[in-house]
Amino acid sequence: LHIAIGESGQPETITLPKYIEYFVRKNLEIVSKEAQYDLDKVLHKLEITNGLISALEVIDEIIKTIKSSKSVEDAKQAIVKKAFKGKNGKALHFTEVQADAIVSTQLGKLANLEREKLQDEKDALEKRKEEDEKLINDEKARTKVFLKRFNALVDKYGWERKTKLDNIEMKDIRSTVEKLKVEKHKKEFKVVFT
């Protein structure tokens, strides 16, 4: 038994099972928040990668638009406002984030960007996106990540028990539990076994 500040912000008696429950719940929340943070970053990178892949389709028009602009800001705005005609005849539109990435990339580098490299990056980002969404939406997946981390900590910092328990039978444990239940009524403290 420990006295600690509970979730309500007030001091309360916390039993070991309650502490473990709180510890696990908080760590599962952390896994979820980490996944959400990573997902936000992945979505941002994915937006940029998709923009660069689309820009390769219309690279000549992009370069012409950038060269005809008076400033970097004008180039960004022109790319965002203009509907470029893709190879399949479909209109390509770019977001401000994509336009910023296109304009920030050196023209020579943009012209020579390998489509395969960008596609591989896109595939890797899509995979990370799926993993993050699974962690956010699936409690079993979060639990699996938590247990993996917890076991890594146990492996790194855990140690073998220094004392040995020999010749202990269940009846000894049951009699101890019964004794504690009787003492519970005599004293004003709480013992919880689950």
Side-chain angles (χ1 to χ4, degrees):
L1 298 175
H2 294 285
I3 303 294
I5 303 297
E7 291 180 83
S8 64
Q10 299 297 318
E12 62 181 82
T13 303
I14 297 180
T15 61
L16 184 59
K18 189 173 180 180
Y19 174 79
I20 291 172
E21 177 190 335
Y22 178 75
F23 175 79
V24 170
R25 189 173 60 244
K26 282 298 177 186
N27 277 280
L28 291 175
E29 285 177 25
I30 289 169
V31 170
S32 181
K33 287 179 181 181
E34 287 172 351
Q36 184 62 54
Y37 177 77
D38 189 53
L39 179 62
D40 292 342
K41 288 184 357 184
V42 165
L43 290 174
H44 181 74
K45 287 180 184 177
L46 197 55
E47 180 181 3
I48 290 170
T49 304
N50 284 332
L52 292 174
I53 289 171
S54 296
L56 285 175
E57 281 189 41
V58 290
I59 189 67
D60 294 333
E61 290 182 60
I62 294 278
I63 291 172
K64 201 181 296 180
T65 302
I66 292 172
K67 284 183 176 180
S68 66
S69 299
K70 295 179 182 176
S71 68
V72 173
E73 277 303 312
D74 288 342
K76 288 180 196 176
Q77 293 305 317
I79 291 171
V80 169
K81 289 178 183 176
K82 188 173 181 179
F84 295 91
K85 188 174 182 181
K87 289 182 181 177
N88 59 3
K90 189 176 175 184
L92 297 175
H93 299 278
F94 296 96
T95 65
E96 289 198 25
V97 172
Q98 291 170 333
D100 186 44
I102 292 167
V103 171
S104 298
T105 306
Q106 294 176 353
L107 287 178
K109 193 175 180 183
L110 185 64
N112 294 323
L113 277 176
E114 298 175 19
R115 179 176 294 280
E116 275 185 43
K117 183 179 175 185
L118 284 172
Q119 190 60 47
D120 290 345
E121 183 179 349
K122 179 182 177 180
D123 293 342
L125 289 169
E126 289 285 352
K127 185 178 178 184
R128 276 180 56 193
K129 177 185 169 192
E130 287 175 18
E131 291 169 358
D132 289 338
E133 287 174 340
K134 184 176 181 180
L135 285 175
I136 292 168
N137 298 320
D138 185 6
E139 188 172 349
K140 286 183 181 180
R142 284 192 303 271
T143 302
K144 188 175 179 180
V145 169
F146 164 68
L147 289 175
K148 183 178 177 183
R149 290 178 182 178
F150 186 75
N151 288 332
L153 286 174
V154 169
D155 291 343
K156 185 174 182 179
Y157 298 108
W159 58 86
E160 293 294 321
R161 184 180 177 97
K162 293 182 181 180
T163 59
K164 287 193 174 193
L165 301 175
D166 291 328
N167 299 324
I168 292 185
E169 296 180 23
M170 282 306 292
K171 68 178 186 172
D172 293 337
I173 294 174
R174 284 191 194 106
S175 65
T176 304
V177 170
E178 291 302 320
K179 184 179 175 184
L180 287 172
K181 285 182 181 177
V182 170
E183 289 179 10
K184 176 184 167 191
H185 297 292
K186 293 178 183 176
K187 298 179 183 178
E188 292 191 18
F189 68 89
K190 187 175 183 182
V191 176
V192 177
F193 289 96
T194 58

